[in-house]
Amino acid sequence: MYPKIWLSPPHMGGGEINYIQQAFNSNWIAPIGDNIDDFESDLASFLDTKKEVVCLSSGTAAIHLALLLAGVKPGDEVICQSLTFVASAFPINYIGAKPLFVDSEPQTWGMCPEYLEFAIKERINKGKKPKAIIYVHVLGMPAKVYQIKAIASKYGINLIEDAAEALGSEYKGEKCGVFGDFSIFSFNGNKIITTSGGGALVCNNLQDKKKVIFLATQAKEINQEYHHECIGYNYRMSNVLAGIGRGQMEVIEDRINKRRENNLFYKEMFVNTDLINLFTDDFNENIKSNHWLNCITISKKAKFNNKDIFNALKEKNIESRSLWKPIHMQPVYKNSKFYGETVSTNLFETALCLPSGSNLTNKDKERIASVLNKFIQ
Ligand SMILES: *Cc1c(COP(=O)(O)O)cnc(C)c1O
């Protein structure tokens, strides 16, 4: 059997181990130390922003703290994109707030601005203005950022940008991750760079950063030992894992280029068929996706579907994965409101994500092509 080709495995650059060694040498084996400070400033300079970056234990923790800083309280309503990994929505429930889900639009697969505004107006008419909006750059594809931002500011609602998959993606020359009142990244093992597990929150100023660190380190009051005036969390990133992040930042440009090359590889493969469509960023010159994951949709006219391709790849020990089941269809959220039509459910039914790692070799690509070509002829 050929070795397994994974969907999006970790890809170490080699330098990571030196930063881990530094943590050991200095004995900062703790959620404090130079690697954390330096990883945060590496990220801020990569994003080319004056905003502040805080490294945390996960992207999910970053969303939770973003909601808290946005002032979301138990019983409040928060609007969330339906087509996303469920981690975008779970933190709304950690707070005891109520999620309302909004459909995607067909071009970027991100939150539909029209349904977003429709939902806000409807809730305001019911006397309940939403407290925050969480939107997502799906698989790294920048959403309709300016339209979503304009709606959030028109109604004075805090905007949380879930850029977990979009490190290195760009909208009108600016990097994703600077387009929210709060923005978040994930460094989970399958993301474009990884710290094995981890995340970051980008906020507007130092005051917010201090609040985030305070909440992420058990809400310790500064001048009084073991004196607490509010509920805290244990969400800070480990200094050992931040060392992995620093090493990954040395190679991030290469990682993004490789992912984008993978997209061109698939694009060429599917150029002459209209039964299989590749999700790609060439519909708008203002946006640049990092193409974290490559995803195809299968036309309903085809004699095969996404499950057939999944099975054919699996038979050759190649991992592929369907898109998420939209959150408004999840049993755990069956009582939540949904604003939209069938964009996200259609994508769920027809899409398949293909191997997209930055360490995909030419030999891997040949194996993938030999399976996929059978569906093209
Ligand atoms: C990975 C991911 C998260 C969660 O990040 P973790 O670091 O795994 O907690 C949130 N939102 C999206 C869109 C993701 O892809």
Side-chain angles (χ1 to χ4, degrees):
M1 194 59 157
Y2 283 117
K4 179 145 182 165
I5 299 176
W6 298 93
L7 191 75
S8 180
H11 186 186
M12 293 296 106
E16 294 83 2
I17 201 79
N18 302 325
Y19 295 108
I20 295 174
Q21 188 64 52
Q22 281 176 29
F24 276 65
N25 294 348
S26 62
N27 203 35
W28 283 109
I29 314 293
I32 188 165
D34 287 349
N35 280 339
I36 297 174
D37 300 341
D38 292 339
F39 186 31
E40 286 173 351
S41 58
D42 286 351
L43 285 164
S45 52
F46 176 77
L47 296 174
D48 196 16
T49 183
K50 292 199 175 67
K51 293 189 175 204
E52 298 287 338
V53 179
V54 192
C55 285
L56 298 166
S57 54
S58 70
T60 310
I63 296 170
H64 188 183
L65 295 183
L67 288 165
L68 289 171
L69 261 80
V72 176
K73 301 261 174 348
D76 285 343
E77 293 185 343
V78 174
I79 292 179
C80 183
Q81 188 167 317
S82 185
L83 186 73
T84 177
F85 182 49
V86 77
S88 302
F90 277 160
I92 301 168
N93 298 81
Y94 299 168
I95 294 178
K98 262 175 68 179
L100 314 168
F101 295 105
V102 168
D103 207 352
S104 289
E105 52 81 26
Q107 201 169 43
T108 67
W109 303 6
M111 187 179 274
C112 171
E114 280 84 37
Y115 274 110
L116 170 62
E117 185 158 22
F118 177 86
I120 294 170
K121 281 184 177 160
E122 198 237 47
R123 297 321 293 161
I124 290 176
N125 282 340
K126 295 257 156 69
K128 191 126 181 128
K129 186 168 126 179
K131 254 314 190 28
I133 298 162
I134 302 173
Y135 78 109
V136 184
H137 305 300
V138 174
L139 310 180
M141 185 70 71
K144 298 211 157 155
V145 173
Y146 283 20
Q147 290 181 44
I148 292 168
K149 268 178 77 121
I151 293 166
S153 74
K154 176 174 170 188
Y155 292 94
I157 301 175
N158 274 302
L159 187 60
I160 298 172
E161 177 191 16
D162 182 342
E165 303 167 0
L167 186 61
S169 298
E170 294 174 19
Y171 188 85
K172 295 200 175 181
E174 279 186 284
K175 291 263 188 342
C176 289
V178 303
F179 299 123
D181 297 296
F182 305 95
S183 303
I184 74 98
F185 290 109
S186 166
F187 310 116
N188 188 28
N190 64 349
K191 298 296 185 338
I192 196 152
I193 64 164
T194 182
T195 58
S196 86
L201 197 160
V202 183
C203 53
N204 282 331
N205 52 52
L206 195 58
Q207 197 188 344
D208 280 355
K209 176 168 180 168
K210 285 182 175 161
K211 254 192 248 172
V212 174
I213 293 176
F214 171 77
L215 291 173
T217 53
Q218 309 287 24
K220 294 186 184 98
E221 297 298 332
I222 299 169
N223 295 321
Q224 287 163 281
E225 200 73 70
Y226 298 125
H227 176 81
H228 299 269
E229 298 190 4
C230 66
I231 301 290
Y233 305 85
N234 186 1
Y235 278 173
R236 197 69 160 125
M237 179 180 278
S238 150
N239 192 53
V240 179
L241 299 186
I244 305 180
R246 290 192 71 194
Q248 291 270 276
M249 288 309 283
E250 293 177 344
V251 292
I252 185 159
E253 296 294 347
D254 169 77
R255 299 302 185 256
I256 294 162
N257 291 337
K258 287 278 162 46
R259 300 254 175 183
R260 289 180 56 80
E261 280 169 27
N262 290 340
N263 188 257
L264 292 178
F265 158 72
Y266 286 117
K267 197 168 164 180
E268 240 164 69
M269 192 182 308
F270 300 122
V271 74
N272 288 321
T273 171
D274 46 10
L275 296 179
I276 300 177
N277 282 301
L278 179 68
F279 187 42
T280 185
D281 64 3
D282 59 8
F283 56 85
N284 182 341
E285 62 185 21
N286 287 320
I287 73 174
K288 183 176 160 187
S289 173
N290 63 7
H291 287 305
W292 169 60
L293 287 189
N294 289 286
C295 190
I296 50 174
T297 49
I298 321 300
S299 162
K300 290 191 170 157
K301 283 181 283 180
K303 291 199 178 67
F304 53 86
N305 62 25
N306 51 354
K307 282 159 202 87
D308 297 322
I309 300 183
F310 172 90
N311 287 327
L313 288 165
K314 189 174 176 201
E315 208 163 281
K316 299 288 179 195
N317 211 18
I318 300 168
E319 185 181 27
S320 64
R321 197 180 290 166
S322 73
L323 208 52
W324 318 279
K325 181 189 281 188
I327 306 186
H328 74 278
M329 294 170 67
Q330 301 286 354
V332 65
Y333 285 117
K334 65 177 184 293
N335 296 322
S336 298
K337 278 193 176 335
F338 171 68
Y339 299 86
E341 292 168 36
T342 55
V343 175
S344 57
T345 44
N346 276 336
L347 287 168
F348 169 60
E349 281 162 17
T350 59
L352 188 71
C353 296
L354 301 172
S356 299
S358 47
N359 41 12
L360 210 61
T361 64
N362 286 336
K363 225 174 150 184
D364 293 338
K365 287 182 182 170
E366 281 168 25
R367 280 175 57 197
I368 295 165
S370 74
V371 177
L372 295 178
N373 280 330
K374 293 190 193 116
F375 291 93
I376 296 166
Q377 269 106 48

